[in-house]
Structures are given as C-alpha cells and as structure tokens.
Amino acid sequence: MATVTFDKATRIYPGAKKPAVDQLDIAIEDGEFLVLVGPSGCGKSTSLRMLAGLEDVNGGSIRIGDRDVTHLPPKDRDIAMVFQNYALYPHMTVADNMGFALKIAGVPKAEIRQKVEDAARILDLTEYLGRKPKALSGGQRQRVAMGRAIVREPQVFLMDEPLSNLDAKLRVQTRTQIAGLQRRLGITTVYVTHDQVEAMTMGDRVAVLKDGLLQQVDSPRNMYDRPANLFVAGFIGSPAMNLVEVPIIDGGVKFGNSVVPVSREALTAAADKGDRTVTVGVRPEHFDVVEQGGASTGSLSKDAPAGLAVTVNVVEELGADGYVYGTAEVGDGRQDLVVRVNGRRVPEKGSVLHVVPRPGELHVFSTSSGERLSD
Ligand SMILES: Nc1ncnc2c1ncn2[C@@H]1O[C@H](COP(=O)(O)OP(=O)(O)OP(=O)(O)O)[C@@H](O)[C@H]1O
Ligand SMILES: [Mg+2]
C-alpha cells in the first residue's frame, strides 16, 4: 500500500493552447479512497492516465509512496486500472480473464488459481468462473473487471467511470459494493466520475476539477457545508444550491424584503474588492417559509411580507419532502429558485411563497471572483 502525490502535475496535449491538467496538487493518503469529479472535459481521465503512466507529464511530478514514477512505464508502477468498458477478453473464461495479468507475469498456475478463487469469493463470482463474458450481466462483467485488478494486489487502484455502463439501480448497488470492498482491502484508490452523488457517497475525500484546475479537495461533508467557491457550490448538491446576487446594506445583505445578517469579515472582504453586491448561496433545505399573516415582522417595507417572494411553477412531491421550483424577482431580473418544503404541506402551483435563508446556513461568495467569503 502507498500514498499517491500529484505535485504540480501538468499535462499539455500536443498542439493545445492550455493545459488539460494544470499544476495539479493532491496528496492522497495510504488506503484512502479519493474521487476525482467534475464536468466533461475538466481533466479527470487525463489526471488518472498520468498517474497510470498512459499520458506524458509535461510539468511537475507524480509519486507513489516515496517513488518518483513521473517517467516510469506503466508496468513498473504497481497499479491496476479498471476502465469504463471493462475491456474483458471475449474468448477467455472469467477465471482466465481474471488471471491473465498474472499469467503474463509468469506466476505459477496453482498460485494464479488460488488468487483468482479468492478474488471470486470476495466478489461473489465463484459460480461464474467457467463462463465467457458474453454470458454475464453488466454488473457481473463489472465485477470481473474488478477481480482482474484485485488479483494483482497492486499498491494503487485506478478506476475511470467503472459504473457508467450499468443501469441506475445496479449503479447504486455496485457503488456500495466497490466502496465496501475498497475499505476491506485498504488499497489506495483514485476513482473518476462525473457524477457528484457518486463522488459524495463513495469518497473519503473528493477533489473537484474544472477546466484542468483543482477547485477544492475535501471530505464530502466539508464540500457540502463549506464549498470553496461558486463553482463547487453549484456543482455539489442535488437539487443545486440557490445562488442569488444581492446588494450589501448596513449590517448584512438585502434579501427580498428582509435584511439578512452577514459576518462583518465577509462584507469587508467584498468591499475591499470594490464590490457592491455579494452572491449568497442557500441550499433548498435551508429556506424558511414565512407564514402569511405574520406579514411584516422583520420586513424592510411595512406592507410587504418579509423575505423573497417566490412564485411556484412546479412542485415535485417525493413523499417525505417536496421541492418547489419557482421564480423570484431579484434585482432587475427574474431568477429560478428551488425550495424544499414539508411533503405533507406542499403549496399550490401559481401561489406565492415568501422565503428567508435560515440563520447560520447562508454561504457568502464574492460576486466578482467567486471565492468564498463567509467562514
Ligand atoms: N489525446 C488527446 N489529445 C488532445 N486533447 C485531449 C486528448 N485527450 C483529452 N484531451 C482534451 O483534454 C481535456 C481533458 O480531457 P479528459 O479526457 O481528461 O476529460 P474528462 O474530465 O475525463 O472528461 P469526461 O467526463 O468527458 O470523460 C479536454 O479538453 C479534452 O478535449
Ligand atoms: Mg474521462
């Protein structure tokens, strides 16, 4: 087992104007499950392939344990990779597929058999060892691909979207199995996905990339509670965090007809940049709905109810919860917002809700730079 370190690792594809991966810095702990996540084209696969030795590194370095592997060929890195399209050999049985790398490495037959049987037991594949891949379900093929990686007992597992060929239900099951298996084996794992839910449920830590640049590396909890910038705030969480540009006023920000208190540090930081607004982030579950009738308590204008008026467009009822998709007048424009409400008391389509962010659950970002200002 080993740590993995990306030290300002950079990849510039021939002919490209800017790096596909730009000075990536991540220190992955021994036994850690790290997930690389981000939108299509952000550089996830390139990062993984640099670690695998399948892509040149044009700047910086990569280490596995204390070994600098930056320019080592893939076979000398002691890694095993699981790809999206499993790449099983169709003419070989499951057992032969799983043992193939060991056979090439000249491992004695009996030892291969033992390792394959052990891996098959872990993966619940024992009864399929004699079958060919075409006689397996998608999920079983995926497990064979995992088995092929496991029998090699590598220092590091690399996985690039290994679940994307599975249907939604099987994907959820298999992600739990892979995360559980990784924890049992304790092998350092770097896992690539574009699915933030997968990232948040599987990773010890999650690294968010955008345009080849690392945005944040953190535990799923911190990523959700303290996103480092507007990009991460909008990317992590489903439905996404509401991001609203609001004017700075005395003691806080103006949110519809309410003043919402914001820390002095955040407001000073915004003012130092010459900004008159900040962008506040509120998760759908962090709005309080202001009851009608209690009208103007806390309101800036006497006759209007406090908070921001949201016109209900669509209500999604999920049983315990409901999500209201609505529109609000913000500044000079209109903006879509999502509000979580009690599933037993959902508002009607076309009605108007007045919402205020729950105290202490507000995220404040610089409108100009996007960086987080609140702590
Ligand atoms: N072989 C290549 N030659 C030139 N450019 C490439 C090559 N491979 C990838 N790129 C470019 O590098 C950038 C990063 O690509 P990469 O495959 O790492 O993205 P990704 O995050 O894995 O995306 P996806 O989620 O779609 O798989 C993209 O802009 C892509 O077009
Ligand atoms: Mg990719």
Side-chain angles (χ1 to χ4, degrees), residues 248 262-272 278 364-365 373-375:
I248 299 171
V262 165
S263 78
R264 188 176 302 275
E265 292 74 31
L267 295 181
T268 311
D272 287 348
V278 288
V364 184
F365 302 96
L373 300 176
S374 53
D375 35 68

Side-chain angles (χ1 to χ4, degrees), residues 44-45 160-161 192:
K44 304 178 295 292
S45 294
D160 194 347
E161 311 241 7
V192 163

Side-chain angles (χ1 to χ4, degrees), residues 206 208 216-227 232 236:
V206 176
V208 177
Q216 184 171 1
V217 195
D218 232 323
S219 65
R221 161 86 18 228
N222 283 343
M223 198 66 89
Y224 193 81
D225 287 348
R226 296 194 72 254
V232 178
I236 298 287

